[in-house]
Amino acid sequence: MNLTMMFRSISALALGVLLTLWAQPSRAVDPFADYDMVMYERPGFPSVLIEDVFPDGLLDLWSRALARPEVELQRMAIDSMAIAHQQGLAGVETLRPELRQILDASDQNRDLVRAAAQALIAIDSKSDADRLADAAVEYGGTVAQVIEPALGAWNSDAMKSHWLQRIGSPAASGNRLLMAIEGLGALGAEEAAPTLVEIVRQRHAAPRVRMAAARVLSQLDSSEVVGLAQSLLREDTYRQPLAAIMSIELLKRHNDDDAIELFKSLLESPNLAVQGGALSQLYRIDPEQVDQYVPRFVDSRDAAVRSVCARSMIATRKQKNIERLAVMLDDQNPSLRREVAAGLVALADQQDLKDEIQQRVFEVLRQDSWQGCEQAAVVLAKLDFKASGPRMVELLTHQRGEVKVASAWGLTQLRIEELLPAMLEHAQQIHAGFQSDRYNDEMPGLSDHVAHLFIAMGDQSYAPAAPLMRQYLPKNYSLGLHARAAAAWALGLIHEDDPPADLVTIMVGRINDVYSLEPESGAVRRMCAVSLGRMEAESALPDLREQAGTEAPASRACDWAIEKITGDPVPQFPPRQRELTGWFLSPIPTTKP
């Protein structure tokens, strides 16, 4: 077939797809994702391995595209090679001569040179470091931005003389200066230190350049950095916090008394960034160095400052700090309060701290602030503090979904039999609210916390909950995906020894609902299959066998159920190949007769 006919049109859409492969995907944050639902783990199934493969002839097609005269076609082929190499395509390195030829051509298109350089870097072609350095000098701009950091990462001195010359040139631009400074830092070029000291001192220089020079000086371990930091602080640090921040940067690897005193002096600065930086360095040297400053900074407006205080209190493991840490469970910063919660759980392995932690955290749980209640429920559940159970039941009615879910999850961990009636009563009220349209699944955490309650009641084989759970089996998506799946899972535990015939019939209907206009959800089908196996419902075997045998989770659950009933082992699936498609230029698939 004519090669020209094989080239697909290069559209803006195709370019967008290509660039998307480079970008990191953005993901919505699920506030309830941390609260695991054991129904998805009991039983668990080994994952089917997936092997990514590339279309046959892909690399050959791209290499032929390189021989075409169209620059844009060449560029996109090269960019595709680099991406595919990072995803595991073998053989891209064999095209090194063609890529090198592009670099060697005179008056070459800048974008094409950039692509070729990036591809050579992707295949780790360190033998081309000198030629890449020449290209960086010749073309500059985006070409240099691709090449120079790579040369530093390779610890290649191909640009070293250029970098040394550049940092001493008053005509060098900010971006080029930054690349030179960072490259010399990667090489550990001690001979750059005197010039870098001068850059740090230049008050008219761009702040980012001065900061980069300070950062590299700290890496070079120059003997001048302590004196340089002290001289910077003689500037007006109240109006010029940059001087203080650079001083901190300069001493990031120093633990001596002079560095400690400098960091402590910077705590007098009103600038929050300076305070946070100084505290962080004191913490790095020794968390005890921060301990005396905790009362002063623990309520700072800056989350970074509060975080250092929290980490120091966790690291020093002192009983006097437990109350402060417990209060920080209610911090406005979600990452910080989760960090504190994890820290308190870890501290509780020290027996003389455990009682204090439980009591202080319980005080937070008894309050009404949603942030504190959520994290306190997590801590107390992980510590199996059963006295917190009644309060968790009360918090099931909290207006915030985060508290509802955390409390319901906590009850799954505590397993307190005496609380099951109250948990069931609450779940019944929620179901009544769904039935009257007072509640809906769009309300954050509403159906999720019911799912956790069902899991807790099923895990304890609480038979009075069965009638309510059965009302979740008919296909009604408004009740929530996880709640319906949890009901199906829990019913299998409750009726493990006495499966009602009508319940078996209902569950069989759910697993077979795959061809209707609105098929049953995979999660509900999966949990119904698990329960049929757990109840050893032999009458369901024909339907289970019909739905078994594929890699889908619901089908794997059917295999598991068959094993429970008959002893036939769950089949093991070989790795499945998944072809990576979407390339701007792909071979036309061979049509089989």
Side-chain angles (χ1 to χ4, degrees):
M1 178 176 290
N2 191 313
L3 178 60
T4 304
M5 296 177 62
M6 298 178 67
F7 291 141
R8 304 228 175 125
S9 61
I10 303 172
S11 64
L13 178 61
L15 179 58
V17 171
L18 185 64
L19 294 176
T20 300
L21 292 172
W22 286 99
Q24 291 290 331
S26 59
R27 299 178 181 175
V29 176
D30 180 359
F32 312 123
D34 291 340
Y35 303 106
D36 55 289
M37 295 186 179
V38 296
M39 62 182 176
Y40 294 118
E41 302 169 6
R42 294 171 32 200
F45 310 107
S47 300
V48 177
L49 297 178
I50 297 177
E51 297 177 347
D52 289 334
V53 297
F54 294 86
D56 291 337
L58 187 62
L59 189 58
D60 177 65
L61 180 62
W62 288 344
S63 67
R64 292 158 72 188
L66 283 180
R68 301 286 299 178
E70 298 90 349
V71 169
E72 187 66 7
L73 181 62
Q74 291 177 312
R75 184 190 64 76
M76 292 193 72
I78 294 171
D79 283 342
S80 297
M81 291 175 195
I83 296 171
H85 175 77
Q86 292 174 338
Q87 295 185 3
L89 178 63
V92 174
E93 61 277 2
T94 62
L95 297 177
R96 175 182 170 269
E98 288 88 339
L99 297 171
R100 174 64 186 259
Q101 187 176 3
I102 291 173
L103 289 187
D104 292 339
S106 58
D107 297 325
Q108 187 62 274
N109 177 275
R110 185 188 298 269
D111 287 338
L112 191 57
V113 172
R114 187 272 312 155
Q118 197 153 358
L120 286 168
I121 292 165
I123 63 175
D124 204 31
S125 185
K126 295 178 182 178
S127 60
D128 289 312
D130 289 338
R131 183 62 191 94
L132 287 167
D134 291 341
V137 174
E138 180 180 356
Y139 291 93
T142 57
V143 175
Q145 289 171 12
V146 166
I147 293 173
E148 294 193 25
L151 294 177
W154 286 348
N155 199 29
S156 167
D157 61 0
M159 287 287 297
K160 185 175 181 178
S161 61
H162 294 282
W163 287 336
L164 287 170
Q165 182 181 8
R166 193 184 303 167
I167 65 172
S169 170
S173 66
N175 284 336
R176 298 184 73 237
L177 262 179
L178 283 173
M179 288 192 294
I181 291 170
E182 290 167 358
L184 292 167
L187 296 179
E190 296 286 350
E191 59 267 45
T195 307
L196 294 174
V197 169
E198 292 306 310
I199 292 174
V200 171
R201 292 183 185 278
Q202 291 171 2
R203 301 186 64 174
H204 64 274
R208 58 182 182 142
V209 173
R210 296 179 72 190
M211 280 296 298
R215 183 165 54 252
V216 170
L217 277 171
S218 73
Q219 297 168 3
L220 297 180
D221 198 25
S222 169
S223 60
E224 297 183 54
V225 295
V226 175
L228 177 59
Q230 292 171 338
S231 69
L232 286 173
L233 290 180
R234 286 193 283 270
E235 299 182 22
D236 187 352
T237 58
Y238 287 84
R239 287 186 299 153
Q240 298 288 342
L242 176 62
I245 293 173
M246 284 192 296
S247 298
I248 294 171
E249 194 67 47
L250 284 165
L251 300 180
K252 283 179 74 171
R253 288 170 174 76
H254 283 249
N255 305 333
D256 52 77
D257 291 341
D258 287 340
I260 292 173
E261 289 307 311
L262 185 145
F263 295 139
K264 288 181 176 179
S265 71
L266 289 177
L267 295 178
E268 303 304 320
S269 170
N271 185 277
L272 296 175
V274 174
Q275 293 173 5
L279 281 171
S280 294
Q281 292 309 308
L282 290 172
Y283 174 80
R284 172 186 61 81
I285 294 170
D286 184 356
E288 288 285 356
Q289 294 285 349
V290 181
D291 189 65
Q292 62 179 304
Y293 298 104
V294 166
R296 177 178 166 189
F297 291 105
V298 73
D299 296 320
S300 170
R301 301 191 314 275
D302 188 85
V305 173
R306 300 195 304 274
S307 179
V308 178
C309 292
R311 290 173 187 171
S312 71
M313 289 189 286
I314 293 169
T316 54
R317 307 178 74 90
K318 295 179 180 178
Q319 188 170 8
K320 70 181 180 70
N321 289 326
I322 298 302
E323 182 177 5
R324 285 195 182 97
L325 279 170
V327 170
M328 295 184 80
L329 292 172
D330 193 36
D331 195 271
Q332 293 298 310
N333 185 282
S335 297
L336 177 53
R337 57 180 183 262
R338 284 194 290 266
E339 182 179 6
V340 170
L344 285 167
V345 172
L347 286 175
D349 65 4
Q350 188 171 318
Q351 195 57 43
D352 62 328
L353 297 180
K354 185 173 183 178
D355 289 344
E356 179 74 8
I357 290 170
Q358 290 175 334
Q359 292 305 317
R360 294 301 183 182
V361 175
F362 193 29
E363 291 173 8
V364 177
L365 189 71
R366 287 198 291 256
Q367 298 169 20
D368 198 47
S369 175
W370 75 267
Q371 296 100 323
C373 286
E374 180 190 17
Q375 297 305 319
V378 171
V379 172
L380 294 173
K382 290 184 176 181
L383 297 183
D384 197 29
F385 186 60
K386 296 192 184 300
S388 64
R391 175 57 178 162
M392 290 189 193
V393 172
E394 293 176 4
L395 289 173
L396 295 174
T397 62
H398 198 281
Q399 61 181 351
R400 292 289 301 211
E402 292 90 342
V403 180
K404 293 178 187 292
V405 174
S407 299
W409 174 84
L411 291 166
T412 70
Q413 309 301 301
L414 295 178
R415 296 174 56 88
I416 303 174
E417 183 178 354
E418 294 78 13
L419 298 179
L420 291 172
M423 294 159 60
L424 173 57
E425 181 181 359
H426 175 78
Q428 289 169 332
Q429 292 171 355
I430 297 298
H431 183 259
F434 275 117
Q435 296 298 101
S436 65
D437 293 329
R438 188 160 51 96
Y439 299 145
N440 61 70
D441 191 36
E442 297 300 316
M443 295 179 174
L446 200 62
S447 60
D448 276 22
H449 94 288
V450 172
H452 285 291
L453 291 177
F454 284 166
I455 289 170
M457 291 185 279
D459 207 27
Q460 296 177 72
S461 299
Y462 186 55
L468 174 61
M469 293 174 182
R470 288 178 68 135
Q471 295 185 61
Y472 278 75
L473 292 184
K475 188 164 55 181
N476 182 354
Y477 291 112
S478 67
L479 293 175
L481 169 66
H482 296 306
R484 295 185 61 235
W489 179 84
L491 283 166
L493 290 167
I494 291 171
H495 294 294
E496 191 166 8
D497 299 323
D498 59 333
D502 65 326
L503 179 60
V504 171
T505 301
I506 292 170
M507 289 188 170
V508 167
R510 295 299 87 225
I511 66 170
N512 285 333
D513 186 4
V514 291
Y515 301 114
S516 63
L517 291 176
E518 193 175 24
E520 182 59 87
S521 74
V524 172
R525 294 180 61 241
R526 173 180 173 181
M527 297 310 159
C528 284
V530 166
S531 287
L532 289 169
R534 197 166 269 143
M535 296 186 298
E536 298 189 8
E538 294 185 10
S539 63
L541 276 172
D543 300 278
L544 290 169
R545 287 195 171 103
E546 184 175 347
Q547 300 299 333
T550 73
E551 301 169 4
S555 183
R556 301 299 300 277
C558 290
D559 284 321
W560 180 87
I562 293 169
E563 180 183 49
K564 287 285 289 183
I565 297 170
T566 67
D568 296 339
V570 175
Q572 300 296 312
F573 291 96
R576 179 168 59 85
Q577 290 189 334
R578 176 179 60 191
E579 188 172 86
L580 297 176
T581 59
W583 305 103
F584 92 102
L585 187 65
S586 298
I588 296 175
T590 303
T591 302
K592 295 183 180 180

